[in-house]
């Protein structure tokens, strides 16, 4: 996640000495990112921001200008770890924390409104467990954030000696759907399992994602999510998502989805079922 190529979202809101390891996701009207944020003083926070807005018309929109970035300054985002009361707090301290939380909610609501976005946020201090949420229990569209548990399951299998990260696999036409990286290659591409994971997490390569999901096994990813307490975290292959969109729009199932989108109004794309929250896609809370 620390090698993600797109740095215009959460990372753009922090100083250069703050390390942000993130995975973003986009669909029409959807911009998401989940990250681990590390401060120079050792503070570590899990941060997830999910945005929905009709101001964004496509999967490959230009980056939001920093002046309008809907994630707020770092002092707003990670000050949130002060918000939850602790059992040992005095009434005065608890009241102060509640006031801080109220101010953060107000600030976030203002920032999201200025960006014309419905914004949800969850922050967790990875050392103390303190957390703050702004609409954190709402249902969301995960987009490519769902690739994080695939990477996690890959790492777990490698650590357990079940999967050889150097073993080479072939991205064939069965995985390619058109787009960037191996997804848009004209011929088969061979690479290691490690490099498939790297391509998935750095540039969100959909073909690499689907092949890696086949390698680690969807059932294993589901079992890991359930074990970690995320039964509502939904995921599927990228090909399955594209197939659903083609069917809904009445497009040719044998042609690349992206090649058939010209001329389809943004309003129709924004109304796709894939862009609407489903019961099994709740905002992932850090544990």
């Amino acid at each position: 996640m620390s090698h993600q190529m797109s740095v215009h979202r959460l990372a753009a809101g922090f100083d250069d000495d703050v390390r942000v390891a993130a995975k973003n996701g986009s669909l029409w009207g959807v911009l998401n990112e989940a990250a681990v944020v590390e401060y120079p003083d050792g503070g570590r926070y899990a941060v997830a921001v999910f945005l929905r807005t009709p101001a964004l018309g496509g999967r490959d929109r230009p980056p939001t200008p920093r002046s309008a970035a809907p994630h707020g300054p770092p002092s707003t985002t990670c000050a949130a770890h002060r918000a939850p009361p602790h059992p040992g707090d005095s009434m005065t301290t608890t009241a102060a924390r509640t006031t801080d939380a109220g101010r953060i909610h107000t600030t976030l609501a203002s920032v999201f409104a200025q960006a014309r976005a419905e914004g949800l946020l969850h922050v967790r201090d990875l050392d103390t467990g303190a957390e703050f949420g702004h609409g954190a229990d709402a249902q969301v569209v995960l987009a490519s954030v769902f690739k994080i548990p695939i990477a996690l399951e890959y790492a777990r299998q490698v650590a357990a000696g079940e999967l050889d990260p150097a073993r080479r696999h072939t991205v064939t036409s069965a995985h390619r759907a058109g787009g960037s990286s191996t997804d848009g290659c004209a011929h088969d591409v061979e690479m290691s399992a490690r490099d498939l994971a790297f391509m998935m997490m750095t540039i969100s390569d959909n073909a690499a994602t689907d092949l890696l999901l086949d390698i680690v096994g969807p059932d294993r990813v589901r079992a890991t999510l359930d074990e970690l307490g995320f039964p509502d975290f939904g995921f599927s292959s990228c090909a399955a998502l594209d197939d659903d969109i083609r069917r809904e729009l009445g497009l040719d199932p044998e042609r690349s989805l992206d090649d058939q989108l010209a001329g389809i109004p943004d309003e129709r794309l924004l109304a796709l079922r894939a862009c609407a929250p489903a019961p099994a896609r709740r905002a992932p809370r850090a544990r």
Side-chain angles (χ1 to χ4, degrees):
M1 289 167 62
S2 62
H3 296 287
Q4 179 176 246
M5 298 296 291
S6 301
V7 295
H8 58 269
R9 297 185 185 173
L10 279 172
F14 293 92
D15 293 335
D16 291 341
D17 60 352
V18 177
R19 185 172 183 266
V20 179
K23 180 71 191 79
N24 60 29
S26 302
L27 279 170
W28 299 281
V30 174
L31 283 177
N32 303 330
E33 192 154 65
V36 175
V37 178
E38 298 182 60
Y39 278 84
D41 65 1
R44 300 181 306 131
Y45 306 90
V47 182
V49 180
F50 290 78
L51 304 178
R52 295 192 69 203
T53 169
L56 304 174
R59 293 196 285 187
D60 297 311
R61 300 287 290 184
T64 303
R66 182 166 179 169
S67 60
H71 37 64
S75 58
T76 297
T77 302
C78 284
H81 76 283
R82 297 194 302 268
H86 296 276
D89 284 345
S90 66
M91 292 181 63
T92 301
T93 303
T94 300
R97 292 180 185 276
T98 302
T99 300
D100 282 348
R103 289 173 179 166
I104 295 171
H105 281 298
T106 300
T107 300
L108 288 171
S110 175
V111 170
F112 290 139
Q114 291 176 35
R116 293 185 295 162
E118 173 191 351
L120 312 173
L121 175 142
H122 184 241
V123 181
R124 185 180 182 90
D125 187 316
L126 294 176
D127 296 313
T128 69
E131 60 183 2
F132 172 84
H134 182 81
D137 290 316
Q139 297 172 1
V140 299
V141 177
L142 291 171
S144 287
V145 170
F146 84 85
K147 296 172 183 177
I148 294 175
I150 299 175
L152 173 61
E153 180 57 28
Y154 158 78
R156 289 177 65 146
Q157 291 186 22
V158 169
E162 301 177 37
L163 179 63
D164 179 2
R167 181 179 177 183
R168 303 183 72 78
H169 304 266
T170 303
V171 181
T172 69
S173 58
H175 302 100
R176 297 193 303 269
S180 60
S181 191
T182 66
D183 209 24
C185 289
H187 307 288
D188 291 354
V189 179
E190 185 180 283
M191 64 177 63
S192 67
R194 179 268 177 197
D195 288 345
L196 289 171
F198 182 79
M199 299 295 277
M200 176 180 71
M201 298 302 289
T202 57
I203 56 177
S204 214
D205 185 327
N206 288 343
T209 298
D210 284 2
L211 179 51
L212 187 64
L213 181 59
D214 287 345
I215 293 168
V216 301
D219 291 346
R220 295 286 297 272
V221 176
R222 179 75 270 158
T224 291
L225 284 167
D226 292 346
E227 176 188 338
L228 295 174
F230 296 107
D232 292 332
F233 194 115
F235 71 95
S236 71
S237 70
C238 301
L241 175 61
D242 281 1
D243 286 344
D244 288 344
I245 293 172
R246 274 189 288 258
R247 280 193 293 268
E248 188 173 347
L249 293 176
L251 302 178
D252 185 342
E254 301 302 323
R255 291 180 56 204
S256 166
L257 173 62
D258 288 344
D259 290 346
Q260 302 182 73
L261 295 178
I264 297 178
D266 284 354
E267 293 76 13
R268 181 67 184 93
L269 296 175
L270 289 165
L272 287 168
R273 287 191 294 269
C275 300
R281 295 173 185 162
R282 295 187 181 277
R285 282 173 166 267
R287 298 278 174 119

